[in-house]
Amino acid sequence: MGDWIGLSVIVLVLAGAVWGLSHLGKPRESLSEEEFEQRVQESHGTMSAGVAGMMYGLQKLMNPKAAEAVEARKDLQAGYYDESEQAGEGDDPDKSNEGDEREEGDDA
């Protein structure tokens, strides 16, 4: 029974390959000038957006700090940061050294 299932899968793959290759040899239907111009206008925006997204991803890989700076600038313009968060973490020395103090009975 398992041999028949495997054989049918192989036959389906081969039939799909033959069907696909037969469609590769057929000529494309001709386009009129108006259809061509319309397709060019529609595809121009998606191509440039794809290239820009790819370049941003490449820049993110090469320089992650610059990508973080861009994201922080966008967040700042959107108003996600308030003035108390912009002051920094090191302004209050009492809060920054809370976990550093050891108890007197600790020998570790």
Side-chain angles (χ1 to χ4, degrees):
M1 183 70 171
D3 293 337
W4 289 106
I5 294 173
L7 182 63
S8 64
V9 168
I10 291 172
V11 167
L12 283 174
V13 168
L14 289 176
V18 168
W19 181 79
L21 288 174
S22 70
H23 277 74
L24 284 177
K26 291 182 181 177
R28 302 180 86 185
E29 36 178 271
S30 60
L31 293 176
S32 67
E33 284 291 321
E34 295 85 22
E35 289 175 331
F36 177 75
E37 292 296 328
Q38 182 182 4
R39 287 187 182 183
V40 166
Q41 291 296 326
E42 289 174 355
S43 66
H44 179 68
T46 58
M47 281 296 289
S48 63
V51 170
M54 184 177 67
M55 293 304 289
Y56 180 69
L58 185 62
Q59 179 188 6
K60 241 178 160 178
L61 287 174
M62 293 178 66
N63 193 356
K65 292 292 183 182
E68 290 175 13
V70 169
E71 291 173 8
R73 187 178 308 132
K74 287 180 182 178
D75 288 345
L76 184 64
Q77 287 175 351
Y80 290 127
Y81 295 119
D82 59 349
E83 292 179 17
S84 63
E85 290 178 5
Q86 290 178 359
E89 296 177 9
D91 290 342
D92 194 4
D94 294 335
K95 289 185 179 179
S96 62
N97 292 329
E98 284 183 49
D100 294 341
E101 298 176 8
R102 293 186 180 168
E103 294 181 18
E104 292 178 19
D106 242 354
D107 290 333

